């Protein structure tokens, strides 16, 4: 039996508000995270992902409170990332109501953190967030970045994904920093390359602008498709994306008639 393609809105949170820009710059306010998460749950989203893009001490406290409020009102899986460095951070977020936790820079700094989190909570909790862009000097042509894509981590994206899965990452969130916020389409070559490298679920992120873009990502191996701008600003609805995926022959989870 085939597994349904998941459609996931992503909420980039800064100071308790959802923001969105292009390539992580020129950020615009997009609303209250809890209200947006509730609306997406009502619209049929399969999951919601929160990324705390500032993750300062104050930002982290804000995130804990936001996760708690969201978990009390939204009844779909919730993934939270940003500033996660180890078991203690994950423990706190899970206690606040997160179902899965994304780790990015913390894992690059100390890869063993992935193994420690997976051993404590199970690999299904660990989502490795990979902010990748085209880097010709890397063996695969794709490199890992940090700081919103502004710094190269000096890692090949495929090698890093493989290593993280070996350490216990249960899912990969692959974000194309070149495509992020452009609405020009996912980086299909990157998705296809990472899909061939790992056997855990792969979430495609970065560049969605049309329903066809989501279909294209699923065709090259994405198990889930994630977007922000097109959902936040009403360009597309969850239902439209699911209808397009279904029409293209993919299984999707539908709890109500698609409008």
């Amino acid at each position: 039996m085939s597994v349904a393609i998941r459609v996931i809105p992503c909420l980039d949170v800064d100071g308790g508000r959802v923001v969105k820009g292009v390539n992580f710059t020129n950020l615009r306010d997009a609303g209250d995270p809890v209200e947006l998460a509730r609306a997406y749950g009502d619209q049929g989203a399969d999951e919601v992902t929160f990324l705390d893009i500032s993750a300062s001490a104050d930002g982290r406290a804000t995130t804990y409170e936001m996760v708690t409020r969201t978990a009390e009102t939204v009844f779909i899986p919730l993934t939270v990332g940003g500033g996660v460095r180890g078991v203690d951070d994950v423990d706190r977020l899970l206690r606040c109501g997160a179902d899965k936790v994304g780790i990015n820079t913390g894992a690059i700094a100390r890869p063993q953190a992935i193994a420690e989190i997976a051993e404590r909570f199970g690999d299904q909790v660990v989502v490795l967030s990979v902010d990748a862009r085209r880097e010709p000097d890397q063996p695969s042509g794709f490199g890992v970045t940090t700081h919103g894509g502004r710094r190269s981590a000096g890692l090949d994206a495929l090698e890093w994904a493989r290593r993280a899965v070996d350490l216990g990452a249960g899912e990969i969130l692959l974000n194309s920093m070149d495509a992020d916020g452009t609405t020009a389409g996912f980086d299909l070559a990157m998705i296809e390359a990472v899909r061939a490298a790992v056997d855990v679920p792969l979430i495609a992120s970065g560049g969605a602008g049309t329903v066809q873009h989501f279909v294209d990502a699923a065709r090259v191996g994405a198990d889930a498709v994630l977007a922000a701008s097109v959902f936040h600003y009403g360009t597309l609805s969850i239902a439209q994306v699911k209808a397009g995926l279904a029409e293209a022959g993919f299984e999707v989870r539908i709890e109500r008639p698609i409008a």
Side-chain angles (χ1 to χ4, degrees):
M1 184 176 115
S2 60
V3 177
I5 301 292
R6 290 169 288 146
V7 178
I8 306 172
C10 180
L11 287 73
D12 295 323
V13 180
D14 185 10
R17 298 290 292 179
V18 176
V19 296
K20 191 59 194 170
V22 177
N23 304 126
F24 283 77
T25 61
N26 300 318
L27 299 177
R28 288 193 290 161
D29 187 283
D32 176 74
V34 179
E35 291 303 317
L36 276 173
R38 180 188 292 121
Y40 289 136
D42 291 344
Q43 291 167 25
D46 296 296
E47 300 180 11
V48 171
T49 293
F50 281 132
L51 296 179
D52 180 348
I53 64 172
S54 53
S56 64
D58 289 343
R60 174 52 69 205
T62 301
T63 300
Y64 290 139
E65 189 263 342
M66 176 193 70
V67 171
T68 299
R69 287 195 295 133
T70 302
E72 290 170 350
T73 56
V74 180
F75 304 103
I76 55 177
L78 174 61
T79 300
V80 184
V84 174
R85 292 176 175 80
V87 167
D88 290 346
D89 296 321
V90 174
D91 183 65
R92 180 78 182 271
L93 287 167
L94 294 178
R95 289 177 187 275
C96 288
D99 297 283
K100 296 185 279 188
V101 175
I103 185 168
N104 183 346
T105 307
I108 293 170
R110 199 172 67 86
Q112 191 59 26
I114 298 171
E116 292 166 1
I117 295 165
E119 183 176 349
R120 172 83 175 270
F121 303 107
D123 57 9
Q124 78 285 349
V125 164
V126 187
V127 180
L128 180 76
S129 184
V130 181
D131 289 341
R133 70 176 355 141
R134 290 172 181 255
E135 288 188 6
D137 292 342
Q138 293 295 344
S140 70
F142 302 108
V144 178
T145 70
T146 62
H147 298 80
R150 294 185 296 277
R151 295 188 195 174
S152 172
L155 297 170
D156 181 86
L158 270 61
E159 292 176 5
W160 175 230
R162 288 192 198 100
R163 184 180 181 196
V165 170
D166 287 344
L167 285 166
E171 198 162 21
I172 302 289
L173 168 53
L174 179 67
N175 187 36
S176 168
M177 301 309 296
D178 298 314
D180 179 78
T182 65
T183 68
F186 293 96
D187 189 328
L188 301 179
M190 180 187 290
I191 296 167
E192 195 167 23
V194 175
R195 170 71 290 159
V198 299
D199 59 3
V200 299
L202 176 62
I203 306 167
S205 169
T210 68
V211 169
Q212 187 60 46
H213 291 157
F214 291 92
V215 173
D216 292 342
R219 282 187 172 141
V220 296
D223 300 283
V225 282
L226 178 147
S229 302
V230 290
F231 294 142
H232 298 343
Y233 301 124
T235 308
L236 295 173
S237 68
I238 303 291
Q240 286 173 315
V241 172
K242 288 195 171 186
L245 287 164
E247 188 176 336
F250 293 99
E251 184 177 337
V252 293
R253 183 183 64 85
I254 301 170
E255 293 185 343
R256 56 188 63 78
I258 289 181

